[in-house]
Amino acid sequence: DSGVTQTPKHLITATGQRVTLRCSPRSGDLSVYWYQQSLDQGLQFLIQYYNGEERAKGNILERFSAQQFPDLHSELNLSSLELGDSALYFCASKGLYRNTIYFGEGSWLTVV
Amino acid sequence: DAKTTQPNSMESNEEEPVHLPCNHSTISGTDYIHWYRQLPSQGPEYVIHGLTSNVNNRMASLAIAEDRKSSTLILHRATLRDAAVYYCILRDAVQGAQKLVFGQGTRLTINP
């Protein structure tokens, strides 16, 4: 158990809909990262937050957004969903003075 | 981000040592070498990291070439549970919160 909790574990939704994925980082970890893993793209970095502020942005679509709340949990919002958004979405967290990034078990999103 | 090169796949037998190579010829002086692995249907998992000297932990050993342009992850006695995709990643030590950039990794198959 990495200590990073993601909900929901599985989600099936229709095209055009909007979903929110939630992540609770390890206790005290200020950095939260979001990654997308699809079969043909591998693990792609989406976005990083540090203590509530956006720190880095990767290949995140404009239809996607994220935020980190004062209690350090984070949410990834995916809107106007397309079939190609079907993927495993991972959240990860890191402590301030640690080198290790810990990943959650992911949220499986299927868009039909 | 400095790039790493790994073989797409490797195969080994149970209870034998496994040596997973990684080339990183453009590594900078402040880059740490990190290894993560991803078991089927799970999030990536930290294995080991190092800067210049060889490193050992309960999971594996990391052998770093003197010029730091390559490294080798060593699993001393592979088990079936070690079957996974192994990622070699460079992270700048100065930018402590820097994201992990995943390549394609090496898919390790362990034969019983």
Side-chain angles (χ1 to χ4, degrees), chain A residues 31 33 35 37 41-43 45 48 50 55-56 90 94 98-101 103-105, chain B residues 32 34 36 38 41-46 49 87 91 96-102 104:
Chain A
S31 284
Y33 309 77
Y35 286 81
Q37 186 171 35
Q41 289 290 326
L43 271 159
F45 168 73
Q48 177 199 353
Y50 177 81
R55 172 66 69 93
F90 288 108
K94 178 183 170 304
R98 298 195 202 115
N99 260 307
T100 305
I101 294 180
F103 285 78
E105 294 192 358
Chain B
Y32 275 90
H34 287 250
Y36 280 73
Q38 187 174 20
S41 302
Q42 293 190 28
E45 173 188 33
Y46 167 80
H49 76 278
Y87 298 97
R91 285 188 72 223
Q98 189 186 51
K99 61 189 182 295
L100 292 171
V101 178
F102 289 84
Q104 293 307 304

Side-chain angles (χ1 to χ4, degrees), chain A residues 79-94:
Chain A
S79 61
S80 304
L81 285 167
E82 302 175 358
L83 296 178
D85 297 327
S86 296
L88 194 50
Y89 291 85
F90 288 108
C91 170
S93 75
K94 178 183 170 304

Side-chain angles (χ1 to χ4, degrees), chain B residues 35-82:
Chain B
W35 284 82
Y36 280 73
R37 72 179 185 180
Q38 187 174 20
L39 279 64
S41 302
Q42 293 190 28
E45 173 188 33
Y46 167 80
V47 178
I48 201 167
H49 76 278
L51 186 62
T52 55
S53 304
N54 294 345
V55 185
N56 300 296
N57 66 19
R58 64 174 180 81
M59 289 181 71
S61 295
L62 176 60
I64 301 172
E66 201 168 325
D67 64 4
R68 301 213 321 128
K69 292 183 186 300
S70 66
S71 61
T72 302
L73 178 70
I74 303 165
L75 307 179
H76 293 287
R77 203 160 164 261
T79 69
L80 295 177
R81 290 196 70 251
D82 291 320

Side-chain angles (χ1 to χ4, degrees), chain A residues 31-52:
Chain A
S31 284
V32 169
Y33 309 77
W34 285 97
Y35 286 81
Q36 178 193 55
Q37 186 171 35
S38 54
L39 283 174
D40 57 347
Q41 289 290 326
L43 271 159
Q44 298 289 315
F45 168 73
L46 295 179
I47 198 163
Q48 177 199 353
Y49 279 82
Y50 177 81
N51 201 21

Side-chain angles (χ1 to χ4, degrees), chain A residues 51-94:
Chain A
N51 201 21
E53 302 277 333
E54 183 183 302
R55 172 66 69 93
K57 219 167 188 175
N59 302 320
I60 187 165
L61 300 171
E62 283 192 16
R63 300 182 285 108
F64 297 179
S65 65
Q67 53 185 325
Q68 186 179 25
F69 295 87
D71 66 353
L72 301 179
H73 92 270
S74 178
E75 293 181 356
L76 179 66
N77 300 297
L78 315 174
S79 61
S80 304
L81 285 167
E82 302 175 358
L83 296 178
D85 297 327
S86 296
L88 194 50
Y89 291 85
F90 288 108
C91 170
S93 75
K94 178 183 170 304

